[in-house]
Amino acid sequence: MEKTESIEDFYKTKFDWMPENFKNEIGHFNVFNLEPFIGEKAKPVPYKRRDFYKIMLVKGNSRVHFADKIVEVKKQALSFSNPHIPYKWDHNDSIKEGSFCVFNQHFFHQFGNLNQYSVFQPKGTHIFELTDEQVEKVADIYKRMFDEINSEYVYKYDVLRNLVFELLHFAMKTEPSATIEKQHLNASQRISALFLELLERQFPIDDTNQKVHFRTASNFANQLNIHVNHLNKAVKETTQKTTSQIIAERVLQESKILLKYSTWNVSEIAFALGFTEVTNFNNFFKKHVQLSPLKFRNI
């Protein structure tokens, strides 16, 4: 897999220039139209992680590789990408028009944690197919972004943050309410959130020298300084899954990404994911995918 693309790399590749405000205290935000990057001018977008967030409105048929999944956009969609999940778009020449905004985590410093929202979580929904009526509403939000960023209003970046949240909540409202986790501020919810944060901190795996250290419920319980039974009960209550299930799902997702998009051999992947023996990794992968790692890589 290619190295993570920084927001500086993004500007150099797309525009061959750099904004002046990268180093200021408000973080970075910008908004663009897709027209220069689609149709005959479309360039392949490599599968990789970026160190910034991107929210994009796309009109036209295309296909998106998100983590270990492929999502088909039939007509038009709103997409959310973040630094934790690698992605790429296919069929950029079929995209007719659209808009996108990019921003870094520092832009929202002290304005909320973006990663608490499902659209920016590894298991969340990242692509939302839109109706014509929904497209008009989203396009209007982008128009307001363009108007605001070009204004002289001294607090325009506060307005732009609000518009980002407007896009975020617009998308999440389109999901059935049953798929959106209810945020209960009880003890179980807090323990579960701490567990998930600790799990996610171990990823992405970008270097063969990295290694996943917390692989069992006991590992996490010790790190969180609680009894393993207490952790298991809290996680089951809030996610309807066991702690071991969630750990296995996240390790499996990362293994699929590394097998498909890195040049590492299977033993390097196994070691990075915390397996002491390649055989153990092979058995784990076969159990969940019904294929050996090598057969999966060659599909």
Side-chain angles (χ1 to χ4, degrees), residues 230-274:
H230 193 183
L231 172 64
N232 288 337
K233 182 180 178 183
V235 171
K236 184 70 172 180
E237 181 182 315
T238 55
T239 68
Q240 286 73 57
K241 294 181 180 180
T242 67
T243 312
S244 297
Q245 273 181 291
I246 293 174
I247 296 168
E249 286 175 0
R250 189 63 185 90
V251 171
L252 183 66
Q253 182 188 52
E254 196 72 8
S255 67
K256 289 178 178 179
I257 291 169
L258 293 173
L259 285 165
K260 282 292 187 182
Y261 299 103
S262 81
T263 58
W264 304 357
N265 61 44
V266 173
S267 61
E268 287 173 324
I269 293 171
F271 177 78
L273 293 174

Side-chain angles (χ1 to χ4, degrees), residues 74-120:
K74 297 181 177 67
K75 185 178 180 183
Q76 52 212 8
L78 185 63
S79 75
F80 294 80
S81 54
N82 66 77
H84 302 292
I85 303 173
Y87 68 91
K88 75 169 181 176
W89 285 75
D90 287 340
H91 307 312
N92 285 13
D93 55 343
S94 301
I95 296 173
K96 299 171 185 175
E97 59 180 310
S99 303
F100 66 96
C101 61
V102 294
F103 48 92
N104 56 17
Q105 178 66 58
H106 192 53
F107 184 65
F108 280 88
H109 180 60
Q110 296 183 335
F111 288 92
N113 178 12
L114 294 175
N115 296 327
Q116 71 177 304
Y117 297 102
S118 60
V119 293
F120 289 131

Side-chain angles (χ1 to χ4, degrees), residues 127-185:
I127 304 286
F128 297 81
E129 191 86 32
L130 303 178
T131 65
D132 291 345
E133 182 183 359
Q134 289 172 327
V135 165
E136 287 184 20
K137 292 179 180 178
V138 171
D140 179 66
I141 297 173
Y142 277 102
K143 180 182 181 302
R144 287 152 59 197
M145 283 184 175
F146 283 110
D147 290 343
E148 202 62 49
I149 201 166
N150 292 318
S151 76
E152 298 298 323
Y153 181 48
V154 66
Y155 298 115
K156 65 182 179 181
Y157 289 107
D158 286 345
V159 179
L160 288 164
R161 289 185 190 92
N162 288 334
L163 291 172
V164 169
F165 278 120
E166 199 169 326
L167 285 174
L168 185 154
H169 289 294
F170 180 90
M172 291 199 301
K173 282 180 180 179
T174 68
E175 292 190 278
S177 57
T179 68
I180 300 176
E181 291 185 15
K182 296 178 180 178
Q183 300 297 315
H184 298 302
L185 296 178

